[in-house]
Structures are given as structure tokens and as C-alpha cells.
Amino acid sequence: MSRWSTLLLACAGLLAPAVRAEETPPATLASILDTASQLSLAEQGVPVKDKTVTIGHLVVAFGQGVAVPILGKDGSSLGFYFEGSGGWGYTADDPADRATLTTNMKRTAKTLRLEGTRVNDTFQRLLVLFSEPTWNDIWDRPAGTPGVPVPGGDAILSSEILTVAHSGYSEFEFRLAQARLNGTGRWLYLEAAGGLERVGYVFDDIRDGVERLFNFRKVADYHVRFVQSLSVQRLPGWDVARQEWLLLRHAGIAIDTADNRKGTIASTLTLHVKGAGLRVIPLDLANTLDPDSAAWSSPKNRLEVSRVMDDMGHELAFAHKYNELLVEIARTTAKESDLELRVESAGDVLLDIKGRHDDNYFVLTQRGWLPEPPNWRGSQFTYDIKVRTKKPWRPVISGKEVLLVNDGDSIVSESKCDYPSHDLAVLGGRYVTRVRTIDGLTVRVHSYAMARANLLENMPSLAAGLAKFYAGLLGPMPAEELDVVDVPRFGLGFSPSGVVLIATEPYTPDPGESRFHFSRGINARLAHEIAHQWFFHKAMAADPSEDWLSESFSEYFSGLAMAALSGDDKISYGFPQMLAEWRADAQICSDLAPIATANDLGGEHAGAERQCLLYSRGPLVLHMLRSMIGDDRFAAATKRYLDQNGIGPATTDDFARAVSETVGGDMTWFFDQWIRRTGVAQVSVEQHLESDPSGRARLWGVLRQPAGPGFKKLVVPFVLDVGGKREVRGVFQEQPETKFEFLLPERPKSVKVDPFGNNLATYK
């Protein structure tokens, strides 16, 4: 067997099918993980000639070669390895995904081409791994049929190569455990090489409900390959309801540190489980918070789980690897049930925002330190938090503060939140704190002893003013209190539940960091982050394709807030400047990918391109909608959307429904063409102005766009100067060629087409 095939096996995930109870003892989490710990090839291969198989949007055609089954320690078939000739084809049916696939191939797989809706390539070596026997007629040799020699003759994977597998594409053990113990879902991994590109494919009906096509980037000095996304398509049946099969309802969190560097984290989780017969629960939980390593096995900044218990105090079997925690539970018997787990962990993980130890503060936020369900929708929960820090550092935590006391050489803080939330913050630092209650909202600003006096004195009123502006348009803020925390050397902003992290001092970004984040003044960044308390912590997006409902809305409403609150653009970054910057940036990404697939972009520029789509093009789409339906209806539709969706899950269709109900007509087309498609409208304007003897005027003409997939419906505004007054006439271009005619009381001094550039369109 070639060295390539050995390494290929090492770098992929492996799974095994269910084993019948009468053949083996009942499976446990430990026994299944042991099964995957020793991998081998069958002693003989199977000849293959002219066979075609399919799964999802993938077609694999085998020409001629040899397939060798891959066996687990218990002898079960986990997949097969093939050497010979063949080809594969992948179809991108969805136009949004097809546009993203085209861009991703240009970025990371330049030798591949899309032919219609399909991309094709050949292969000479193929690895297939599955959670249950798949494509049996390729690898399963019928009894009594002679086998053929294994290519190369190398039969067993060495322990060194298996170690590489665990640090590479490492889903195999945990997907195996879920497949066998829960008996639901299907998972398949494929890797093909020898053609134009080495590509990987995953069919995941267990964890994420998607199929993915990707290729690889190997980075020097790393033992892992980095996956570069090409295509992501959701599997049929994975609607919002199925994504919610495991939900975190409540988290009770206790954090204790004696040195503000190392600490213990005890999490009591109330989980809601949908499905009878389940025996294993997956949770996301980091193994390491090492900022310098992509490997889960890094020994630096380890977070170690010491034990997991049920509500009776009984210890449960668990496995903590690959930044995941699997917990074996008693088999569920009801279609829906509640489950309580206590996870005790500890580690050297109290780090600053850059992942280092700091002499002034630490922060725990975003995912990783708290065990949470892996799906996007699974973590929106009520919570109570207790944190003990070593003096003089004081805690700052999400939720309504119910206790802050000195306790010997420690400071203890407690909070609670009865509103389902997502993304908690726990900080400790040498803070100087100012507290003010303004218009019923308690605002705390936390900075350092050297902090400027005007920061501590002025920031509470600015934060309260922004919150009041949003509440007037959108309804009350979900969080009862707001903490604004000064984070040194942090050029961005971040908004966990009830907390805003923001840098207040001038900051020069590290090379490679996005220019976008540093172009905003502190007031505009603060406005954006406070807006997230509505656009994320209230109506939470249903999945990553709906991320614009959080980022684009927060960015656009921050512009509205700056326009409302800034009387002097020299002091505050005002809305006209933000519009100009969005327009300049959006030209870069208008044809790259739809807003809905911003998170599916691959390549080294994916982060900047995502920002362009969500933070520039997305706000311009909202601005176009607002200019089309008017300020009052836009605000009413947005509030209706927030009220109707409460804590989520929220989708683009939900917002489209709210807009449609507000304006009294179907607006689905608007979101289909601007959120799920790329490009700008290319409009040719033919206009004529004629006057009659009485002085009246007739404005008529034709709007033209090229027919085909690039055509976009538009409301084109004509702005007229009539008698020194500005009048607006709108033409709804519903077809590639649309005629219009207006009768006017007098001849206008001027006629301008969309003079403020409200539409994503170019005119000629």
C-alpha cells in the first residue's frame, strides 16, 4: 500500500455501523471508542469495475481498481480504501450555494470548474468512511468469491499515524459513538486524490445536518490540515425543529480562582432532549484555549473535565476530546425529556481577549469554556452565575447583579437572568467602576485606575442614550442591566448577554486584522454592540445562514442611532459617513456570494469577505428597504419581527413575513433576490419630458434590465424639482422592460434618478 494511502487513512475520521446485540455485549461509550482506537485494512481486496454510487449531491463513478475494507478493532467495517481509476461529480442545486462554490473554487481550488450546476474531477485514490455500511457492492466481497491482494501490501496503521488522525479530521470516534449508541442519523466521509484537486466530502446526518465539499491547506509546522470550504448544503429534513433536538434551558455556573490565572468551572446544565432511545449527549467544550495552536491536544491552557454527574450525584461516563464532550446517559424513554448534568472542570484558562495572561484582567466569553449543545440553536438559556476572584480584581458578569461582596482576600459576585440568552461573559480585573441608573436602566462602566475621567463620567449616559433610542424603536432591551467593559488592546467590540466589551484607547491593529473594525469611532462601535442586545439576544438567528439578522441589523441600526444622537459629525461618526463606507466596501463583494452564504466562504480572504457581506452589503439592503417602504413602516416591521420571534429561532422568512404584514403585500421577492442572490441591478433609463401649451408636463420613458438570472425587481425613485419643492415618483420595475408615465402640474426644473443612491443599482 502506498505511503499516500496510509497518510490518507490517518488524516480522516472513521466510523463503524451498529453491531447486533446478540453478537457482542451491549455497547458502551468506552467500548465504542476502543473500537476506533485500532484500525486495520482487510487482508484481501475486492476487484471493482464500472460501478456508480451516489449520496446527497455527490456521484462517484468507479472505473477499474481494488477496494479494501477498513476494519475497526472489533472487526466491523468502517469504510474502504480504493486504488484505481474513477471520477466524482458534485451538484450545487441551490443558486446561493452555487455562487459561493464558484467563488470558493476561484480562491482555493483554481483547477476545478463548474459546468452548469456541477463540478467534476477524476481520482486515483479514494477513502470512504461511514457510520453504517454504505455502497456495499463496492467493497463487500460475497462469501466464496476470491479476493485480490491489497495494493502495496501494507495492512495495519501504525500508532504514530493514528495519532495524526486524532489531531486531524477527528470526528470518527465521537460520530461513531453517536451513531451506535443513539441509533439515529448517518455520517459519511470521503476523500479523493489523484485528480486536479484533493477534495473531501462529508454527509452529516448526525450533528450538523449538512453535506460539505472542501479541499485542504497544509501549513508548515502544524500536524493538521486546514479545511477550506467549497460548498455547504443543508440536508432535507433538517428544519428548525430538528436542529432543536438538544437544547440548553438553564445553566448554573460557579467559577473560583485563587490567583486570577487558574480556576475551576462547575456547570450545572438543564438540557431538553427530543428523541427516545438516546444514550449519548454531545456538547461543545474546548480542550485548550491555546491561542497559538489549532490542535485540540495542545498542552497549553488546558481545560480538563474531572467528572460529570447526573441530578442524583451519580458519576457518568464521558469522553473529552476534539473540543467536544460526550456524556453517556441512561437511555431516554420519552419523546421529550429533561436532563440535568453537572460538569466539573478546571484549567489555566483565565486569559485576556488575545488568549494570554494579563496583569489587569481575564475574560471568558463566546463558546468554549461552557459545555453547550453543538447546534447553533441549542444554546439560548436562562442562567445564574457565581464568580470568586482574588483581590483587587473584581468580577464582571452577564445578568442582573444580585450580590457583590468582599470575602477575605476575594471578591464574590452573583447574577441571574430569567430571559433566555446566548453568549455569556465572565470577566475579572482591576476595575474602577461607575454605576448610574438613567431612565430606569442601570449602566456600569468598568475601566482601570488610569482611565480618563471623562470615560467613566460620560460613558454611562452615552450607553443609556443608545439603549433608549433602540428601545423607542424596537421595544425594551432584554437585559435588565448593561455593563460596559474597557478591554485594553482590543480593536473590536463584542456584545455578550447584558455586557459590551470595547476598547476605549487608540489602538493599532495587528497586521492582517481587518481594516473594517478599526475604521469606526468608539461611539459607532458602542452603538453597534448595544444594538446586538436586540439583534441576537432577542431574536436569535436560526442558523449561520441567517447571521445577517444579527450583524447587518446591528450595523444598520447603529447608523440610525448615530444619525439621531450626533449633532456634530466632527464629534460622532455619523450616518452619512457610514453609508459612504458601506457603499465603497460593498462594491468589492457584490458578486462574491449571497449574504446568506457569507459564513460558507473559504480561502485566506474569507473573513474579510464575510465582513463585507454582513457589515456593508447587508446594511445597504436594509437601507434600500427602508427607503422603499418608508421610515415608519420599516421601524414597525422590524419591531413586529422582534416581537413575533421573541427569543428565536429567527429566519429571513420571518422578517420577510413581518415586512409583508406591515406593508400589506408579499415582499418575499425582495429577500430572495438581495439576501439569497448576488449582484446589483444594471438599469438603463430612457426618459422624456414633454410640456403642453398650458404648462403641464408629461414625464415618460422605459426602464430596462437584461433578462435572466441577473434581473432584479426595483422601486426606482425619480426625484423632481417642481416649483422649488422636491417631489418623488416611484416606478416599480417588475419586468426587464417597464414603461412609465407621470402627468405633472408643471414642468420640473430637474429630474434625477435615485440621486441618493438608495438602490443597489447602477444606472445608465
Side-chain angles (χ1 to χ4, degrees), residues 17-21 24-33 35 74 176-177 180-181 279 328 331:
V19 179
R20 291 181 298 176
T24 63
T28 64
L29 178 60
S31 68
I32 295 174
L33 298 183
T35 291
D74 63 355
L176 166 62
R180 284 194 173 184
L181 292 177
R279 287 187 54 205
E328 187 173 2
R331 187 180 298 277

Side-chain angles (χ1 to χ4, degrees), residues 24-99:
T24 63
T28 64
L29 178 60
S31 68
I32 295 174
L33 298 183
D34 183 59
T35 291
S37 68
Q38 182 173 314
L39 310 173
S40 64
L41 297 175
E43 294 181 354
Q44 291 186 311
V46 179
V48 180
K49 185 176 181 180
D50 298 334
K51 292 186 177 182
T52 299
V53 294
T54 64
I55 185 171
H57 288 86
L58 182 73
V59 177
V60 182
F62 295 88
Q64 186 168 354
V66 177
V68 186
I70 299 169
L71 307 177
K73 188 176 180 180
D74 63 355
S76 59
S77 298
L78 306 179
F80 64 91
Y81 171 71
F82 172 86
E83 283 196 15
S85 63
W88 60 267
Y90 177 87
T91 302
D93 286 333
D94 179 65
D97 177 68
R98 191 159 57 247

